[in-house]
Amino acid sequence: MGKQHSWTALAGLAAIGLASGPLAAAPPAPLPAESLDFRPWGDDRPADALCRGIYVMPDYRVAAPEQGKVASVSELANYGSDGETILAGEVILRRDTAQLESPNVRVPSSRDRAFAEGPLALRDENLLVRGDAAELALNSDAASIDGAHYVVHDQHLRGDASRLERLEDGRYRLSDATFTTCDPGSKLWRLVGGDVLLDREQGFGTARHARLEVGHVPVFYWPWVRFPIDDRRQTGFLWPSVGFSDESLDYAQPFYWNIAPNQDATITPRWITDRGLLLGGEYRYLLPSDAGQIEGAFLSGDDGGLDSRDAPSRRYEGEDRWYLDYRHAGRFDARTRYQLRYGAASDGRYFEDFGSDFGEQTTNAMARLAQVDYRGDRWLLDARAQGFQRLNDPLADRDKPFYRLPSLSASARWDQPSGLYQQWRSNATYFWRDVDENRVPLREAATGTRVHLSPAVGWRAEAMWGHLEPRVEWLATAYDLDYGDRETERSESLQRNVPVASIDGGLVFDRELDLGGRGYRQTLEPRINYAFVPARDQSEFPDFDASERPFSWNQLWSPRRFSGADRVGDLNRISLGVESRLLDDQQGRERLSVGIGQSAYFDDRHIDINGDPDTLPNRDTDPEAWYRATRDRSPLVSHVDWRITEQWRTRWEWLYDDQRERTERTGLDLQYRSSVGHVLNLGYRWELQGFDPSLEPGDDAFRNFNREEANVSFAWKASPRVDLIGRFLYDNTNDRPLEQLAGVQWNDCCYGLQLVWREWVDDNDTARVEDDFNDRGIFLRFVFKGLGGVGRNADSYFEEAIPGYRSTAF
């Protein structure tokens, strides 16, 4: 057993805090795994482990001394005549959380420094440094280690340096150093630097003559680079994005600017060989009660690409291309919040040509909004100016959206213990859009003010056995319109008053049920709803925001045939339905829900989007619209929601016209969700041509054929490292695939890879099948764990294309 000696001053054993960051050129050979505190997994290996093992710091070998003092253990201690002290054998020194292990430590008589011979080990919390020799200052935190090998346990990183120094100001300098997050023995990648400086206080490092090596092959070089060594943001270059398409190269080099603790910016020059230089940027800020960001990009003189001269992508050749998107949100107090948003693009094809990953268009509109809302105990107040730029190309005047400049809303509700309640809703909006009023239909040429009031009174009795709710609502609407230079005999001051009466009731019967030895509660819930809305002449009313709703289960119980306030559809209808649910007694979770219902009409529906109460759609020119308006009963609506097991779930909806004996719409979905991450989605859709009356010929989503589509998508976790991803969407009506996608994501301990092939149909912003064309691409992203990635990020697109999939974090 060695002797224990106490020292009152040994200050050089402070933690050498190496966090993640690049390092640099001819470092010493790496040590084997057993010398780096690496413990391979055994039977305790977690199911999701990506690494072969973990770094585990062993227990301290010397008990902690008093704060600031040094405890020592050695087999021999010699004191020279000149005051020099030599500790030999197995020497262990500990000061606070730092521990030095060495076969020989020499302290000169000056007591200002100590020399340790190797092989030595310097440990601190989550840190190990091994070396050939060390010099430690005893009156400061300065230290240096030759032939250093370091490990940061909790970040799973390691590296080597010919010399590691801790400077007096607390910074660290490493010469000929490396850095990697790969397991010991792996040479997949490392960062090598000639001169590396780490500043733990500021949270960043710098390296000169740094290069990235993959399998000892240099693939990237920086004459100087600045990088973060902890979670704090740091100014510097980010990893580039590289894409290939046909004969085009797309290279983007982001630069991150940490302006202040609450502000940052990213500037991204992007070179597209067949387009030109696109300069993009993003600026973000965070205030105590506000936050916002502004982003955009600009390309001067688009080169047009390599497509044929008549291709849509060549429409803006030679023109400047750009977009701008500003967002800001905050609050004045706990009840009052506000939002600001302004988005604009040079043209409707900008995001199709430049702003999409994996070929999908990221947005179809650029929003514009200035809003203030107040949420009180009873009143909800909202004031906004709102609009958006529709990104269709070409965009006809009649398809341009209306702006609300401004829109003021107020709503409130009062409830009494008896079940009686009163509601107030009101809105005043000025609608405007920049069009040539002579080039749009007369009704759509109007701009102006609309005031809409909808007070309501009702009574709701609700108990375990069911509910009953009679309700009366008054819809009062007034317009002050302007047709500009358009000649018209229409009135510019219009009013409409429509009562809406409804009564909704339902019963709930239930019973205990035993299925397969498991207890359930089954309900039987019949429901009846009557609604009456008289017809009012709206033939001269504008169409600012009206849209006729397609029929559905929810429409059985709603008196509103239109969204928006410009149209109030006449209705004299009774709806009958029954629903049965199966509830798990142990968990209370709904396992099965089955419902069927139908509406019976007592009168024809005269009010359509044209608003004329005296005429019905022409039977000869528009037989489907005429049929919808005069049929005496709705389609039968049925649905089934079944949670088969914890992993499997299915949903089926069917709208069947029992008069014409035809299906109007049906959809079937089958979903599988595994606890280990497997995902499977099977879907089928059928929709009769013209089923959705809100779509008109010329709308991008309009199709002049019966739509029949099948959809398969999956994500299969073949192992903790490998995800296989695929999707196939097929248009059976036109006998063509709409989208095909196959991808693989590989996750290792120190790197990740995403490879995706995708082929899809681009509809060219028209409703005509003959204008559609196929597009395809192969997309690659490679990630060095701890350093960032090269290539486009697939995660968000995978999660949108494959419902239920969650990408393994890179």
Side-chain angles (χ1 to χ4, degrees):
M1 185 73 177
K3 300 178 181 178
Q4 181 165 319
H5 303 270
S6 295
W7 299 73
T8 58
L10 185 58
L13 302 179
I16 302 180
L18 302 172
S20 60
L23 309 169
L31 292 178
E34 56 270 17
S35 299
L36 298 174
D37 293 346
F38 187 76
R39 189 189 75 186
W41 291 115
D43 295 337
D44 58 343
R45 180 190 180 101
D48 58 350
L50 298 176
C51 301
R52 291 189 295 106
I54 57 173
Y55 295 103
V56 178
M57 183 174 175
D59 295 333
Y60 286 101
R61 299 176 62 183
V62 174
E66 295 181 20
Q67 181 73 27
K69 293 188 176 181
V70 174
S72 67
V73 174
S74 64
E75 294 180 355
L76 298 172
N78 297 318
Y79 302 93
S81 58
D82 58 353
E84 182 182 57
T85 302
I86 298 176
L87 303 177
E90 189 177 13
V91 182
I92 304 173
L93 303 179
R94 181 174 178 186
R95 180 178 183 268
D96 299 331
T97 60
Q99 177 179 282
L100 174 66
E101 304 170 19
S102 173
N104 190 291
V105 176
R106 180 172 60 87
V107 181
S109 59
S110 60
R111 297 293 189 266
D112 60 346
R113 53 185 172 163
F115 300 91
E117 295 181 3
L120 61 86
L122 178 61
R123 298 184 179 277
D124 205 335
E125 293 180 333
N126 292 314
L127 172 70
L128 165 66
V129 181
R130 292 192 181 276
D132 298 332
E135 179 180 347
L136 312 173
L138 301 183
N139 52 12
S140 72
D141 286 341
S144 67
I145 299 176
D146 293 331
H149 311 268
Y150 65 89
V151 171
V152 182
H153 300 76
D154 56 350
Q155 297 185 33
H156 203 92
L157 65 87
R158 62 182 174 88
D160 312 289
S162 62
R163 186 176 182 83
L164 185 153
E165 300 176 77
R166 178 182 173 107
L167 308 179
E168 293 190 9
D169 59 7
R171 294 182 299 164
Y172 296 88
R173 182 180 296 278
L174 295 87
S175 302
D176 303 332
T178 70
F179 160 85
T180 186
T181 57
C182 297
D183 285 334
S186 173
K187 301 178 181 178
L188 180 77
W189 73 268
R190 65 176 183 170
L191 214 62
V192 184
D195 182 21
V196 178
L197 193 64
L198 305 177
D199 190 332
R200 296 184 64 212
E201 276 196 28
Q202 299 298 321
F204 70 88
T206 60
R208 298 180 185 275
H209 303 296
R211 66 180 183 271
L212 173 66
E213 293 184 355
V214 177
H216 291 302
V217 177
V219 297
F220 208 85
Y221 169 78
W222 299 266
W224 181 89
V225 64
R226 173 174 166 148
F227 52 89
I229 60 173
D230 56 24
D231 292 336
R232 285 176 286 182
R233 306 186 311 268
Q234 299 294 338
T235 297
F237 286 100
L238 305 179
W239 281 91
S241 174
V242 183
F244 299 93
S245 176
D246 296 328
E247 300 176 7
S248 173
L249 168 67
D250 185 345
Y251 178 88
Q253 176 58 72
F255 178 80
Y256 179 78
W257 181 15
N258 183 33
I259 302 171
N262 65 332
Q263 300 178 63
D264 64 11
T266 304
I267 303 168
T268 308
R270 178 180 170 193
W271 175 253
I272 310 171
T273 53
D274 60 341
R275 295 282 188 177
L277 178 63
L278 181 73
L279 182 63
E282 178 189 61
Y283 167 68
R284 303 185 300 177
Y285 56 90
L286 179 64
L287 305 175
S289 60
D290 307 78
Q293 70 177 58
I294 182 170
E295 64 178 78
F298 180 81
L299 170 66
S300 178
D302 183 6
D303 291 342
L306 300 175
D307 294 333
S308 60
R309 283 289 172 185
D310 57 348
S313 59
R314 303 291 292 267
R315 289 177 186 165
Y316 297 96
E317 185 173 358
E319 297 185 20
D320 295 342
R321 311 287 298 278
W322 55 269
Y323 88 97
L324 177 70
D325 194 3
Y326 172 65
R327 310 179 190 192
H328 181 93
R331 65 179 186 272
F332 296 116
D333 53 47
R335 294 181 180 269
T336 309
R337 299 177 180 272
Y338 71 95
Q339 295 184 66
L340 300 173
R341 179 80 183 268
Y342 181 80
S346 57
D347 54 81
R349 283 198 58 88
Y350 177 87
F351 289 100
E352 291 185 60
D353 293 341
F354 302 109
S356 58
D357 290 334
F358 301 95
E360 86 282 8
Q361 185 170 334
T362 57
T363 181
N364 59 9
M366 300 294 290
R368 296 160 186 184
L369 173 69
Q371 178 190 14
V372 178
D373 66 80
Y374 169 81
R375 298 179 177 271
D377 294 332
R378 190 177 308 279
W379 283 94
L380 300 179
L381 307 177
D382 184 284
R384 66 179 64 190
Q386 186 176 22
F388 59 92
Q389 177 189 358
R390 181 169 290 163
L391 297 180
N392 285 48
D393 183 55
L395 179 64
D397 272 12
R398 66 168 303 175
D399 295 326
K400 292 182 179 179
F402 282 96
Y403 282 73
R404 302 166 185 259
L405 301 172
S407 178
L408 309 174
S409 300
S411 59
R413 181 182 172 108
W414 298 265
D415 292 283
Q416 284 79 52
S418 63
L420 190 68
Y421 65 86
Q422 302 82 37
Q423 283 185 334
W424 172 267
R425 291 189 179 93
S426 59
N427 175 264
T429 300
Y430 177 76
F431 292 92
W432 172 87
R433 65 176 175 173
D434 183 17
V435 299
D436 183 348
E437 58 269 11
N438 295 300
R439 299 177 61 182
V440 297
L442 182 58
R443 182 185 298 110
E444 299 178 19
T447 60
T449 302
R450 184 188 71 196
V451 177
H452 182 69
L453 310 178
S454 55
V457 61
W459 175 75
R460 184 175 179 87
E462 191 164 17
M464 294 288 292
W465 49 263
H467 74 277
L468 180 65
E469 182 179 8
R471 174 187 170 94
V472 177
E473 187 174 13
W474 191 266
L475 305 181
T477 313
Y479 293 88
D480 182 13
L481 303 177
D482 182 5
Y483 288 89
D485 297 332
R486 183 90 177 245
E487 293 291 336
T488 178
E489 296 180 357
R490 290 174 176 263
S491 173
E492 296 182 351
S493 296
L494 301 169
Q495 292 187 359
R496 180 192 62 204
N497 291 278
V498 185
V500 177
S502 65
I503 182 168
D504 188 77
L507 297 174
V508 179
F509 303 94
D510 62 41
R511 64 169 181 168
E512 299 299 321
L513 190 65
D514 185 82
L515 294 174
R518 191 182 185 102
Y520 294 92
R521 185 164 62 93
Q522 183 189 17
T523 70
L524 184 66
E525 305 174 34
R527 184 176 179 182
I528 185 171
N529 181 284
Y530 174 75
F532 177 77
V533 183
R536 294 289 188 268
D537 186 357
Q538 300 161 67
S539 57
E540 294 192 0
F541 282 36
D543 180 9
F544 293 140
D545 60 2
S547 178
E548 188 172 357
R549 295 172 173 173
F551 205 76
S552 66
W553 175 264
N554 291 333
Q555 281 297 103
L556 286 170
W557 324 111
S558 172
R560 299 183 182 273
R561 292 174 42 222
F562 293 87
S563 61
D566 292 319
R567 294 291 179 274
V568 178
D570 56 323
L571 194 64
N572 188 6
R573 178 224 66 199
I574 189 169
S575 295
L576 299 173
V578 62
E579 192 171 22
S580 180
R581 296 183 295 150
L582 196 64
L583 306 175
D584 190 327
D585 270 354
Q586 293 183 358
Q587 302 178 1
R589 180 183 297 180
E590 182 178 286
R591 290 292 179 178
L592 177 66
S593 173
V594 180
I596 186 169
Q598 189 174 33
S599 294
Y601 301 107
F602 302 113
D603 295 314
D604 294 339
R605 278 74 58 210
H606 287 76
I607 302 300
D608 59 11
I609 202 69
N610 295 318
D612 190 345
D614 299 322
T615 62
L616 290 170
N618 189 293
R619 186 173 186 175
D620 296 326
T621 60
D622 197 348
E624 290 300 321
W626 178 87
Y627 176 68
R628 286 197 305 267
T630 60
R631 64 195 302 176
D632 57 11
R633 58 185 182 270
S634 74
L636 276 166
V637 186
S638 57
H639 74 87
V640 177
D641 287 285
W642 184 16
R643 183 177 289 275
I644 306 169
T645 66
E646 293 302 314
Q647 292 79 33
W648 289 94
R649 181 172 184 173
T650 185
R651 175 175 175 81
W652 173 67
E653 185 183 41
W654 184 35
L655 276 71
Y656 179 73
D657 184 350
D658 59 333
Q659 292 176 274
R660 291 187 169 182
E661 297 183 346
R662 67 179 184 180
T663 296
E664 293 193 355
R665 185 179 69 182
T666 189
L668 176 64
D669 292 294
L670 179 64
Q671 299 176 344
Y672 173 76
R673 303 287 186 268
S674 167
S675 59
V676 300
H678 305 320
V679 171
L680 175 65
N681 301 290
L682 303 174
Y684 173 79
R685 296 285 182 277
W686 161 272
E687 186 173 290
L688 193 69
Q689 175 186 341
F691 174 80
D692 187 348
S694 66
L695 298 176
E696 300 179 10
D699 290 348
D700 189 28
F702 178 83
R703 295 294 180 265
N704 59 349
F705 50 81
N706 299 336
R707 177 175 294 188
E708 185 178 18
E709 295 176 358
N711 186 10
V712 179
S713 64
F714 72 90
W716 188 261
K717 289 192 175 294
S719 73
R721 288 184 169 89
V722 181
D723 292 355
L724 302 176
I725 299 147
R727 186 185 188 201
F728 183 75
L729 176 61
Y730 188 74
D731 175 9
N732 193 54
T733 306
N734 297 293
D735 192 22
R736 60 176 182 169
L738 295 177
E739 180 178 20
Q740 302 171 79
L741 178 148
V744 60
Q745 176 170 292
W746 174 278
N747 256 312
D748 192 72
C749 184
C750 62
Y751 78 97
L753 173 71
Q754 292 172 330
L755 179 64
V756 181
W757 168 82
R758 180 174 181 246
E759 182 173 331
W760 67 99
V761 171
D762 192 321
D763 67 10
N764 204 19
D765 284 343
T766 73
R768 298 185 301 273
V769 175
E770 55 269 20
D771 287 346
D772 297 348
F773 62 93
N774 288 349
D775 207 344
R776 63 186 58 85
I778 296 177
F779 308 90
L780 172 68
R781 185 188 183 216
F782 196 87
V783 174
F784 302 107
K785 298 295 183 71
L787 292 182
V790 178
R792 297 182 184 274
N793 188 344
D795 298 10
S796 61
Y797 179 67
F798 284 167
E799 294 178 7
E800 292 173 6
I802 305 168
Y805 173 67
R806 294 294 176 267
S807 176
T808 303
F810 265 25

